[in-house]
């Protein structure tokens, strides 16, 4: 049994939980993914972005997440933001009053 | 399986995640690197700086990062800023209005 477990963990990278926000921070959803490609596919479904180009950045500071290596180095529970064409990252404090007093 | 894992971890120095910003803070990208040299090479590709001299400073206060020892002592997720010839570090508050009111 131990061998089976070891093999499985080599073949299938463990799926970790992440959070994905829209650019205006009005929608935030939880999702699991084992790779950046997996996450991109799931985000497409979650936020109904079929055929709409988008990129992923870190919600906290807008850092572009473009490589599998960087994605894997991030921890679970990282919050991503989806930027569609024409959208750009903005700090929370500039985003109107929706989450502020 | 255990042996394979051990060997892999010995051969490859652990790559850590970092963030790299342009001098005007308009572009910020995530990247992994295991050494300062590795980071400099990757930044060259990421920001298309082939044959353009540049240096790395800390984004938060412009501290020059010039030695491997200092780089290794910094934690993961450090935010670096790329300064090309003629560019100098500026605090966020002086950088026009792009991230301010």
């Amino acid at each position: 049994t131990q061998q089976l477990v070891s093999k499985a963990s080599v073949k299938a990278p463990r799926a970790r939980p992440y959070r994905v926000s829209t650019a205006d921070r009005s929608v935030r959803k939880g999702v699991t993914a084992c790779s950046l490609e997996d996450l991109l596919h799931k985000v497409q479904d979650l936020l109904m972005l079929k055929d709409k180009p988008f990129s992923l950045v870190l919600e906290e500071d807008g850092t572009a997440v473009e490589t599998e290596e960087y994605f894997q180095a991030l921890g679970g529970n990282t919050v991503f933001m989806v930027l569609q064409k024409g959208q750009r990252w903005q700090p929370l404090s500039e985003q109107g009053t929706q989450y502020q007093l």
Side-chain angles (χ1 to χ4, degrees), chain A residues 24-90:
Chain A
D24 64 1
R25 293 188 174 84
S26 64
V27 175
R28 181 184 282 231
K29 298 197 181 194
V31 61
T32 63
C34 55
S35 67
L36 179 56
E37 196 186 343
D38 187 26
L39 181 63
L40 290 168
H41 279 294
K42 287 177 174 169
V43 164
Q44 235 180 13
D45 292 341
L46 265 180
L47 300 176
M48 295 181 288
L49 296 170
K50 254 333 188 222
D51 303 323
K52 294 180 188 166
F54 66 93
S55 64
L56 286 185
V57 303
L58 299 183
E59 189 265 353
E60 65 180 276
D61 67 358
T63 299
V65 180
E66 297 176 344
T67 67
E68 187 64 41
E69 290 71 25
Y70 183 66
F71 173 79
Q72 290 295 344
L74 295 168
N77 289 314
T78 297
V79 186
F80 297 97
M81 177 180 279
V82 170
L83 296 181
Q84 291 182 247
K85 214 175 154 183
Q87 293 180 327
R88 68 177 194 85
W89 177 84
Q90 286 187 293

